[in-house]
């Protein structure tokens, strides 16, 4: 151990003594050569001949010093420093090439690092300061549709907390959106509404102040207190040290800040960057968490997290929850059965597996893998491009490398020398890539979402991201530099000594590697460009398609009840009064109300009818609308009649259905006159307190579907017969939809605690939001395609033109021996185009099956779209043709003797 430590200290000391050791090495070598020279002169040899023989015996001064360095134990460190210095000097001689190469590597590494950062934030991020996260578990309740991982009612949580013996402590929480300040500012914040023991279960301590006291979180008498998140404390209040005791107005009520959570603690759902935590069960209510709502066992809006007792396992907790689920079903059969009459079940997952909703985890992982694969393909294209540049540089430095080899440098030494340059480029590109990934993740956090709520996710560059970027940079250095380094230091290196400085090495010696680079670049570029072309054309087709509803000139907004305790009749009258006021405005031509906005990504399908159908109870989308709604949006009734003002309270319950509903549920009754037996009314996943009913079908509307979707069964009921909990107000005027937005703002005054999902806006904007994912995906692929196109054209042009230029001497000799110029030009063109054609064929062979695999993502465009496939082929073939023509034109403008004289 001591000998090893002493050796390492000597290596470190040698770094500071390198200059003296070199001088000593020079003096030692010169001393031995001088002694050998004197010995030969004493034997009668001529002094000049004696000096020559002494140098030959020792292999030359430089070779001898190289061999001596090989024996020295710290030569690798010396070589590394020398190689880095030499690499920096060499790259500095061609600054434009170095800068372009670093930018290319930086973009490629940055793209892959940014994708990994986003995937890491959702799938692999650390638990955020939780104590012993391995003992934390999440408990889920199955849904009406049979999904295993859904939310739990607060009453079920209380039973879990009271009856569990495997869980030491159990807490419940839910997401809440509140208005900070007054209603006009619409400064919304995302919070978590929690039980009093929430922080104790997580095992965290406050950064400032305290957490909730027991008397502050009693259901029914909870105080209006709040624990701020660390980020909100810093961003909104500047990290004020006197934060404890301050008041913050939320939903028109004053909340007192009692503490600040520790840095790094985020929301449990998707690691949302919440602004703070408030207690459940405040009298008067806070975001649907009133004592009355908490008492409803059918109100399944809560997440449950618990900590295992010492010695208990997750399997033990799962077995216990299964027994508890059976008991709850026996005790509450009406509230503990799903839509198909099956008992609900509990499922227990670890804290790690519950950071992302389990139902979404596979989809997130697949999307991240797809995007990462695309980013890595671009990085491979970058590496191929850089490899071509390094190969050309190594070819021009063949004589220098040959001289180094003659002085005793081994092939490994030369490879390390060349790899150091590519490593320097990759290191600079990696640093730039991390910075670009940081900018990209900041931009991702600010992307608008299809809800009017500030959802901010915790996406940061942690140690995993830096490690990934380092690994990718090392891989890029090897991928771009290893093949050129091995090729440049090959066995035929000494042939370069026979050429003039800067002359060409043996023609065609590196043609195989150049050909591979051209084929690889073209193939990868074709795959990326075809994918980008298909996605872009699919998006254009989707946006240009008929949405099935006439949304032109329509503005809309969300209206909440003025009071939570209003009876259905008074609430209908309140909404209808708004309709009458708007209809009286001169700039308004049509007004309609509905329960849901059917073009909204998160609202369409949130209102459901659980219908009885031959023993099954499927769920069907419905919307309660006022008379005139269907006509306003061009939802034509093709058989029977539309909804009327006479379809009000006291009249028989009626409905209009679409053709898809009749095909699916009543194929024997193609027109009006059928009946719909409704077992349950569901709104945003919650059963409404409305009795079972039978609806008479009075009309049939034509099927309609949004772009990229197929027609699904739909039912429209009368808003006049509904028990509304909200209203979506639509107006169409004589001008643009944007000009009507101020009208909605003037006529509809939001209350302080009114948290809406739709502010006054043109209806068509919701359709754009519906395609936000497609638009974002198309933009990403289009950007990747543009980058790949630039790289491919540059790479193909550079490599092909360099490869063709290397044949100038060969072609000049052919001309000198009688070949016609047309034959020579054809030969030069055929070489570059042949490599490009092979690359195009390989790329198409990969792009075609990939297009068929992704056909489910395409809309309104053929899987083998001619433009998506023909565009990349035309562009890349043109680039290769130009790359071959430029050297050919140079040959046509000169005589064979001029070329040979230049060589």
């Amino acid at each position: 151990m001591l000998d090893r430590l002493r050796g390492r200290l000597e290596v470190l000391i040698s770094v500071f003594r390198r200059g003296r050791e070199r001088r000593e090495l020079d003096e030692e070598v010169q001393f031995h050569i001088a002694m050998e020279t004197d010995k030969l002169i004493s034997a009668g040899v001529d002094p000049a001949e004696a000096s020559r023989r002494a140098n030959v015996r020792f292999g030359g001064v430089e070779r001898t010093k190289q061999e001596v360095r090989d024996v020295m134990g710290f030569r690798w460190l010396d070589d590394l420093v020398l190689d880095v210095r030499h690499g920096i000097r060499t790259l500095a001689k061609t600054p434009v090439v170095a800068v372009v190469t670093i930018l290319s590597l930086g973009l490629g590494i940055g793209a892959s690092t940014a994708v990994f950062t986003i995937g890491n934030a959702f799938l692999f991020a650390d638990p955020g300061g939780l104590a012993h996260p391995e003992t934390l578990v999440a408990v889920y309740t199955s849904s009406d549709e049979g999904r295993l991982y859904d939310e739990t009612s607060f009453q079920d949580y209380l039973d879990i907390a009271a009856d569990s013996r495997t869980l030491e402590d159990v807490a419940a929480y839910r997401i809440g959106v509140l208005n900070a300040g007054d209603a006009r500012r619409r400064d919304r914040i995302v919070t978590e509404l929690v039980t009093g023991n929430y922080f104790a279960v997580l095992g965290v301590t406050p950064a400032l102040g305290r957490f909730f006291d027991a008397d502050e979180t009693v259901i029914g008498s909870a105080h209006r207190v709040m624990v701020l998140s660390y980020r909100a404390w810093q961003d909104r209040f500047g990290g004020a040290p006197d934060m404890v005791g301050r008041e913050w107005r939320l939903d028109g009520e004053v909340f007192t800040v009692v503490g600040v959570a520790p840095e790094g603690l985020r929301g449990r759902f998707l690691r949302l960057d919440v602004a703070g935590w408030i207690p459940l069960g405040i009298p008067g209510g806070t975001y649907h968490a009133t004592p009355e709502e908490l008492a409803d066992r059918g109100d399944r809006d809560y997440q449950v997290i618990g900590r295992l007792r010492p010695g208990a396992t997750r399997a033990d907790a799962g077995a216990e929850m299964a027994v508890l689920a059976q008991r709850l079903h026996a005790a509450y059969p009406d509230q503990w059965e799903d839509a198909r009459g099956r008992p609900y079940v509990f499922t227990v997952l670890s804290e790690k597996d519950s950071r992302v909703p389990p139902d979404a985890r596979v989809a997130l992982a697949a999307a991240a893998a797809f995007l990462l694969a695309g980013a890595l393909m671009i990085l491979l294209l970058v590496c191929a491009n850089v490899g071509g540049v390094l190969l050309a540089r190594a070819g021009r430095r063949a004589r220098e490398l040959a001289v180094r080899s003659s002085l005793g440098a081994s092939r490994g030494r030369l490879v390390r020398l060349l790899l150091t340059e590519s490593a320097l480029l990759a290191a600079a590109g990696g640093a730039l890539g991390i910075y670009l990934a940081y900018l990209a993740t900041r931009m991702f956090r600010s992307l608008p979402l299809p809800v009017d709520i500030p959802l901010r996710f915790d996406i940061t560059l942690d140690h995993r991201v830096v490690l990934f970027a380092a690994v990718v940079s090392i891989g890029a250095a090897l991928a771009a530099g290893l093949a050129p380094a091995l090729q440049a230091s090959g066995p035929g290196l000494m042939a370069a000594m026979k050429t003039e400085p800067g002359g060409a090495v043996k023609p065609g010696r590196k043609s195989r590697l150049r050909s591979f680079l051209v084929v690889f670049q073209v193939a990868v570029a074709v795959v990326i460009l075809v994918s980008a072309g298909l996605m872009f054309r699919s998006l254009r087709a989707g946006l240009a398609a008929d949405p099935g509803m006439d949304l032109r000139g329509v503005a809309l907004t969300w209206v909440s009840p003025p009071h939570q305790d209003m009876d259905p009749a008074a609430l209908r009258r309140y909404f209808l009064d708004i309709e009458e006021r708007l209809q009286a405005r001169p700039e308004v031509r049509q007004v309609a109300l509905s329960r849901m906005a059917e073009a909204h990504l998160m609202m369409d399908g949130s209102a459901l009818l659980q219908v009885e159908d031959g023993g099954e109870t499927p769920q069907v989308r419905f919307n309660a609308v006022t008379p005139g709604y269907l006509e306003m949006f061009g939802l034509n009734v093709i058989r029977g009649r539309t909804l009327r003002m006479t379809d009000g309270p006291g009249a028989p319950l009626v409905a209009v259905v679409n053709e898809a509903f009749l095909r699916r549920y009543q194929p024997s009754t193609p027109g009006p006159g059928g009946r719909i037996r409704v077992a349950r009314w569901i709104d945003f996943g919650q059963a409404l307190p409305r009795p079972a009913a039978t609806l008479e079908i009075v009309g049939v509307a034509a099927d309609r579907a949004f772009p990229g979707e197929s027609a699904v069964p739909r039912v429209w009921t009368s808003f006049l017969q509904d028990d509304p909990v909200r209203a979506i107000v639509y107006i169409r005027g004589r001008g643009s939809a944007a000009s009507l937005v101020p009208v909605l703002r003037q006529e509809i005054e939001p209350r302080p605690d009114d948290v809406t999902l739709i502010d006054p806006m043109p209806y068509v904007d919701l359709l754009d939001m519906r395609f936000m994912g497609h638009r974002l995906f198309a933009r990403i692929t289009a950007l990747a395609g543009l980058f790949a196109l630039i790289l491919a054209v540059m790479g193909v042009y550079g490599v092909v033109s360099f490869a063709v230029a290397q044949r100038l001497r060969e072609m000049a000799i052919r001309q000198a021996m009688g070949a016609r110029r047309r034959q020579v030009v054809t030969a030069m063109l055929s070489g570059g185009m042949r490599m490009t054609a092979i690359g195009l064929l390989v790329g198409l062979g990969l792009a075609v099956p990939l297009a068929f695999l992704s056909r489910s993502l395409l809309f309104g465009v053929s899987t083998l779209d001619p433009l998506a496939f023909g565009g990349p082929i035309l562009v890349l073939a043109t680039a290769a043709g130009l790359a071959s023509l430029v050297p050919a034109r140079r040959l046509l403008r000169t005589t064979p003797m001029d070329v040979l004289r230049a060589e």
Side-chain angles (χ1 to χ4, degrees), residues 525-542:
V526 167
V527 173
I528 298 176
L529 291 173
V530 168
S531 301
L534 287 173
M535 289 303 303
F536 182 73
R537 285 182 54 75
S538 177
L539 177 67
R540 288 193 61 185

Side-chain angles (χ1 to χ4, degrees), residues 177-179 183 185-190 287 448-455 557-558 600 602-603 745 754-761 766 769:
V177 182
L178 310 180
N179 288 318
R185 287 177 53 196
R186 288 294 183 206
D187 185 13
R188 295 180 176 88
I189 62 170
V190 178
Y287 200 79
L449 295 174
V451 290
D452 194 20
I453 296 174
L455 299 181
T557 191
W558 167 300
H600 197 293
M602 297 185 66
M603 293 181 65
R745 295 189 186 278
D754 183 13
V755 180
T756 70
L757 289 180
I758 307 174
D759 271 343
M761 64 189 305
L766 286 186
M769 290 181 181

Side-chain angles (χ1 to χ4, degrees), residues 166-240:
T166 59
L167 300 178
E168 189 175 49
D169 201 0
V170 187
Y173 63 95
R174 66 165 297 175
I175 295 295
V177 182
L178 310 180
N179 288 318
D182 58 75
R184 285 293 183 184
R185 287 177 53 196
R186 288 294 183 206
D187 185 13
R188 295 180 176 88
I189 62 170
V190 178
T191 63
E192 278 187 342
L193 287 75
V194 301
T195 53
N197 62 339
Y198 177 78
F199 297 104
V201 172
L202 298 184
V204 295
T205 56
L208 186 71
R210 60 174 176 84
F211 294 137
F212 303 130
D213 288 337
D215 62 336
E216 293 174 334
T217 59
V218 177
I219 303 300
S221 60
H223 298 186
R224 295 190 184 276
V225 291
M226 182 179 192
V227 174
L228 272 183
S229 71
Y230 192 91
R231 190 188 294 273
W233 179 43
Q234 297 294 323
D235 294 349
R236 288 179 173 268
F237 300 99

